[in-house]
Amino acid sequence: MSQAGLVLVVEDEDPVRRYTVSLLEELGYTVLQASDGSEAIAVLRERSAEISAMLLDHSMPGLSGGEVLAQLESEGLKVPVVLTSGHDRTSLERRFAGHDIAGYLQKPFRVEMLDETVRAAVARRAQAS
């Protein structure tokens, strides 16, 4: 694992996922990928203790980001979650009020915003340990 941390990127759109992974790797993170919510849950069940943060797409076919989040909470899997979406942050904050969300990224995002948001989520994980 890199010094920056291990990040799980959950994104159903392949070009968006590849782009996000490449940016995170350039920022020094080691990255795991999941193309849907079911795959994300499987990875989290195996490796949640190692994962520093997760970027979770809000809108996906199959299990949505909200359903993945609910599954995490019901299984007691503790990973800082950064929700990504084309929707604005305010609507996401209202929709996910009461959930433990480490951050929000509105797509398309700039590398600086990605860096800042993921860094804060990783720091949150480090403080919890």
Side-chain angles (χ1 to χ4, degrees), residues 76-122:
L77 300 172
K78 303 284 186 193
V79 173
V81 174
V82 174
L83 277 177
T84 64
S85 177
H87 298 284
D88 68 279
R89 179 184 176 132
T90 305
S91 67
L92 288 176
E93 286 176 338
R94 274 196 302 267
R95 178 157 186 214
F96 291 96
H99 292 278
D100 188 19
I101 304 296
Y104 299 90
L105 272 175
Q106 185 173 350
K107 296 184 227 174
F109 46 79
R110 295 185 334 271
V111 67
E112 299 84 8
M113 200 61 179
L114 175 68
D115 186 26
E116 179 183 314
T117 306
V118 173
R119 211 173 284 282
V122 169

Side-chain angles (χ1 to χ4, degrees), residues 1-128:
M1 182 175 10
S2 72
Q3 280 192 302
L6 180 63
V7 177
L8 173 59
V9 174
V10 185
E11 169 63 60
D12 64 304
E13 293 183 41
D14 191 51
V16 176
R17 187 176 61 254
R18 284 195 319 252
Y19 177 69
T20 304
V21 167
S22 70
L23 290 177
L24 287 167
E25 288 174 344
E26 286 176 25
L27 292 168
Y29 294 95
T30 301
V31 184
L32 299 172
Q33 302 177 49
S35 60
D36 61 36
S38 297
E39 190 178 346
I41 294 294
V43 171
L44 288 160
R45 284 177 179 152
E46 283 186 33
R47 303 193 62 185
S48 65
E50 304 167 59
I51 296 172
S52 304
M54 172 173 58
L55 268 65
L56 179 61
D57 185 20
H58 166 259
S59 300
M60 296 182 290
L63 290 179
S64 69
E67 290 168 321
V68 171
L69 188 58
Q71 187 71 34
L72 282 178
E73 291 170 353
S74 75
E75 293 187 27
L77 300 172
K78 303 284 186 193
V79 173
V81 174
V82 174
L83 277 177
T84 64
S85 177
H87 298 284
D88 68 279
R89 179 184 176 132
T90 305
S91 67
L92 288 176
E93 286 176 338
R94 274 196 302 267
R95 178 157 186 214
F96 291 96
H99 292 278
D100 188 19
I101 304 296
Y104 299 90
L105 272 175
Q106 185 173 350
K107 296 184 227 174
F109 46 79
R110 295 185 334 271
V111 67
E112 299 84 8
M113 200 61 179
L114 175 68
D115 186 26
E116 179 183 314
T117 306
V118 173
R119 211 173 284 282
V122 169
R124 185 179 196 184
R125 176 64 178 235
Q127 290 172 346

